[in-house]
Amino acid sequence: MNASEPRHPFLQGLSKHRGAPPTVVVIFGASGDLTARKLVPAIFNLGIDNLLPGDFHLIGFGRKPIEDEKFRSLLDEAIGEFSRRPLDGEVWGRVRRHISYQSGGYDELAAFKVMAEKIDALERELGRDLQRVFYISTPPSVFEPVIQNLGKSGLADKHQGTKLGSKVIIEKPFGHDLESARHLNATLQSVFSEPQIYRIDHYLGKETVQDLLVQRFANSIFEPMWNRQHVESVQITVAEELGVGSRGGYYDQSGALRDMIQNHTMQLVALTAMEPPVSLDPESIRDEKVKVLKAIQPLNPDPEKGDVVRARYADGLFQGAKVPGYLEEAGIPADSSTETYAALKLSINNWRWKGVPFYIRSGKRMARRASEIAVQFRRPPGILFSEGSKYDVAPNTMVISIQPDEGVTLVLNSKVPGLETRTQPVKMHFRYATTYGSNTPEAYERLILDAIVGDSTLFIRGDETEASWRLCTPLLEDWNKRGNEGLASYAAGSWGPPEAERLLAENGHLWRRAGP
Ligand code: BG6
């Protein structure tokens, strides 16, 4: 590569040379939980790393009236509580003085016009144009009015066709089924063009998820084996220890399939199974992800014989203390049939993966917080080391640990030292924390910066979200009809319902104990 050529942003990562344009970020849903927990701490940390644009402005928009100074002090508190690094008065002071707040209804066009005028006035005062980045972090019920008002107020069109054209970042949930996702896509695309749209899936901002592509395509030893000739099965686990906590109202309308599988887990499937992209530009990567999602066979929803098991946690023990079951959690209706766990067996109908089952599962209140991708290779032929109990020849497995304890583990067979030949599976570990230290950027830092600089690689394209909904929607429709019929149960603090073993049993596989 020519030294003067810019490096691709995906390779560049959080480098200091990205030349972010002068920007105003408007957060809709500014008094919400996500703003406090993730967005503002991420902006603060970008400030510390000197990655924010030289001219950076932040406007919070929400229904509640809040004075500017009060809003700023709420953000100070949020940083104190949720940032990975302590509040640095000097750095934050420079960002803070460019923060303001505006209240208004999400369906109130006049409030959007006031916002448009406010930003125009700011540009006049600065004597320069600003890129507008709209971050929609509201409840999903108002996504559409916000998008429409961004269009009608002229905010969306501002500086269109120049480097400072507006952008919109939209939080999950992106629809609640295929039809609503299509509708939301149509609304977005009636106001913004696809390159201006940044659909968030925060899993893509995680270091380890990005590392998946590097492990696959920057090493020559794995890719030749990454196919049906050598891989026996793939298991993807996204397990959480926590229950629904105070989010019962939201969660009961959602459930594990919508909350975790349709988005985060399917993204892990797509990155694990996709073909090598022709280049690292956003469209090449997203084209491959869509292709593989489309190759997944429709799922059979039958609770006895099908490809899916859903379940709900009952009370149980978590770290030695008794914890309530899902139905006892705050805000959960007694007649709820929402699943807190789902496990799926996917068959990918393409040349590379035909016949290799992809088992995926995600649940709340599981034994351990552990997200991982385990690629199990075919067993070596049992010709040499197979006699009696002296040999324990395990299949080789590559485990990419997304969180916590980020890293990669290879399970290999080795000779136990001694005078006789005895084999035993051993683990070779690479751990982020030991190699790189533990203070890696949070997903939202990467994603907010990428949107500001216009790199959409780590965001979901419209057809991608629809491909994933196309798989999940028939299951949701089936569950809706069945209610509690076929809804299994698992004790809080366990690895999920015994029924989930059925998905693997016909191939003689077992669920792994995920985690270190
Ligand atoms: C969110 C879900 O998208 O992801 C939550 O709505 C879930 O229910 C969270 O807890 C998990 O994210 P992470 O980054 O903690 O694995």
Side-chain angles (χ1 to χ4, degrees):
M1 188 169 73
N2 180 325
S4 62
E5 230 174 87
R7 299 184 70 209
H8 187 274
F10 182 80
L11 290 175
Q12 237 169 297
L14 293 181
S15 106
K16 300 198 179 195
H17 311 289
R18 305 181 74 174
T23 298
V24 53
V25 172
V26 180
I27 301 180
F28 295 96
S31 54
D33 205 44
L34 189 77
T35 305
R37 284 176 180 274
K38 299 289 180 191
L39 308 187
V40 168
I43 290 170
F44 163 70
N45 279 293
L46 289 173
I48 293 210
D49 291 328
N50 205 16
L51 289 165
L52 288 176
D55 238 332
F56 179 78
H57 303 261
L58 176 67
I59 304 178
F61 186 106
R63 274 184 287 230
K64 262 193 237 164
I66 308 176
E67 294 292 318
D68 283 350
E69 188 45 38
K70 171 74 184 161
F71 180 61
R72 289 191 279 259
S73 64
L74 288 173
L75 303 191
D76 300 342
E77 282 168 30
I79 293 169
E81 193 172 351
F82 299 115
S83 164
R84 70 185 164 96
R85 292 185 288 208
L87 187 71
D88 173 323
E90 203 190 316
V91 173
W92 182 234
R94 284 199 294 272
V95 181
R96 198 183 188 278
R97 72 174 96 101
H98 300 296
I99 298 180
S100 61
Y101 182 85
Q102 188 194 326
S103 67
Y106 296 119
D107 53 0
E108 197 188 321
L109 178 57
F112 285 71
K113 289 189 172 160
V114 172
M115 168 80 68
E117 179 41 44
K118 187 170 175 167
I119 303 177
D120 288 346
L122 185 59
E123 286 184 333
R124 287 195 294 275
E125 186 189 317
L126 295 167
R128 66 195 299 187
D129 290 343
L130 295 170
Q131 158 179 252
R132 289 146 175 76
V133 175
F134 304 108
Y135 199 121
I136 306 182
S137 165
T138 62
S141 56
V142 294
F143 282 176
E144 300 218 359
V146 171
I147 297 161
Q148 278 151 355
N149 281 332
L150 286 172
K152 289 184 200 155
S153 59
L155 277 162
D157 282 345
K158 200 72 190 198
H159 308 314
Q160 185 84 290
T162 74
K163 275 192 180 155
L164 298 179
S166 306
K167 294 177 179 139
V168 61
I169 309 177
I170 184 159
E171 263 298 330
K172 65 174 281 253
F174 196 89
H176 54 269
D177 58 10
L178 178 57
E179 200 191 320
S180 54
R182 278 189 178 141
H183 195 271
L184 186 52
N185 268 335
T187 307
L188 271 169
Q189 286 158 354
S190 70
V191 175
F192 296 93
S193 62
E194 184 62 33
Q196 293 176 285
I197 304 170
Y198 292 74
R199 297 174 193 76
I200 287 254
D201 184 315
H202 78 278
Y203 267 57
L204 293 182
K206 292 183 191 275
E207 279 293 335
T208 35
V209 176
Q210 293 157 42
D211 190 40
L212 188 50
L213 292 189
V214 179
Q215 292 296 331
R216 281 193 62 191
F217 303 127
N219 293 302
S220 58
I221 55 173
F222 302 121
E223 201 49 28
M225 307 196 58
W226 213 254
N227 55 44
R228 72 192 144 85
Q229 273 89 30
H230 300 283
V231 175
E232 165 86 17
S233 68
V234 177
Q235 268 190 40
I236 300 185
T237 301
V238 182
E240 297 187 274
E241 283 173 355
L242 295 179
V244 289
S246 57
R247 295 167 75 225
Y250 152 77
Y251 193 85
D252 200 60
Q253 297 298 313
S254 176
L257 193 76
R258 288 190 175 101
D259 188 50
M260 298 295 285
I261 302 265
Q262 184 276 335
N263 37 53
H264 309 321
T265 320
M266 292 306 281
Q267 282 299 314
L268 300 182
V269 172
L271 291 170
T272 306
M274 72 182 203
E275 294 300 313
V278 288
S279 84
L280 283 180
D281 72 77
E283 297 323 318
S284 302
I285 293 182
R286 301 196 297 181
D287 285 347
E288 295 307 334
K289 281 163 56 192
V290 173
K291 260 165 59 186
V292 77
L293 289 174
K294 284 185 174 165
I296 301 174
Q297 277 184 5
L299 295 153
N300 173 356
D302 188 309
E304 305 284 319
K305 300 190 283 290
D307 302 317
V308 53
V309 170
R310 65 179 169 134
R312 169 173 76 204
Y313 62 84
D315 57 2
L317 286 178
F318 175 61
Q319 294 179 348
K322 200 160 172 357
V323 291
Y326 179 70
L327 291 180
E328 285 86 59
E329 301 273 20
I332 306 302
D335 61 352
S336 165
S337 58
T338 299
E339 80 289 355
T340 60
Y341 169 101
L344 277 64
K345 178 179 158 193
L346 307 180
S347 308
I348 303 180
N349 219 351
N350 66 12
W351 191 264
R352 184 186 285 261
W353 293 117
K354 180 79 184 164
V356 179
F358 276 62
Y359 306 112
I360 67 176
R361 61 180 164 169
S362 179
K364 295 225 180 263
R365 275 280 185 243
M366 299 207 25
R368 182 183 291 155
R369 177 170 180 254
S371 298
E372 63 168 42
I373 299 162
V375 178
Q376 187 179 314
F377 295 93
R378 295 198 185 280
R379 264 175 204 282
I383 302 166
L384 299 179
F385 305 104
S386 59
E387 187 194 301
S389 57
K390 278 198 303 185
Y391 303 116
D392 178 11
V393 182
N396 298 131
T397 308
M398 177 183 186
V399 183
I400 298 163
S401 170
I402 307 290
Q403 65 186 26
D405 197 19
E406 292 83 353
V408 180
T409 299
L410 279 180
V411 180
L412 307 169
N413 291 301
S414 157
K415 178 183 174 301
V416 180
L419 299 183
E420 58 175 355
T421 302
R422 217 152 54 80
T423 64
Q424 182 183 302
V426 292
K427 292 179 176 175
M428 262 172 62
H429 291 297
F430 145 61
R431 288 282 159 266
Y432 269 67
T434 33
T435 306
Y436 300 120
S438 55
N439 213 359
T440 48
E442 285 250 357
Y444 277 93
E445 295 171 38
R446 173 74 194 241
L447 296 176
I448 291 174
L449 182 63
D450 280 0
I452 290 175
V453 301
D455 179 5
S456 49
T457 313
L458 302 177
F459 294 83
I460 313 289
R461 210 166 60 188
D463 52 350
E464 212 178 319
T465 190
E466 289 183 18
S468 176
W469 276 121
R470 198 166 293 120
L471 279 170
C472 294
T473 302
L475 301 180
L476 293 165
E477 286 168 354
D478 181 76
W479 296 350
N480 198 25
K481 275 190 239 134
R482 290 183 199 270
N484 277 318
E485 183 214 325
L487 176 66
S489 175
Y490 60 103
S494 72
W495 274 110
E499 285 85 343
E501 297 297 339
R502 174 180 65 74
L503 298 177
L504 292 72
E506 68 171 347
N507 291 316
H509 299 146
L510 291 171
W511 286 110
R512 288 170 44 80
R513 291 205 158 255

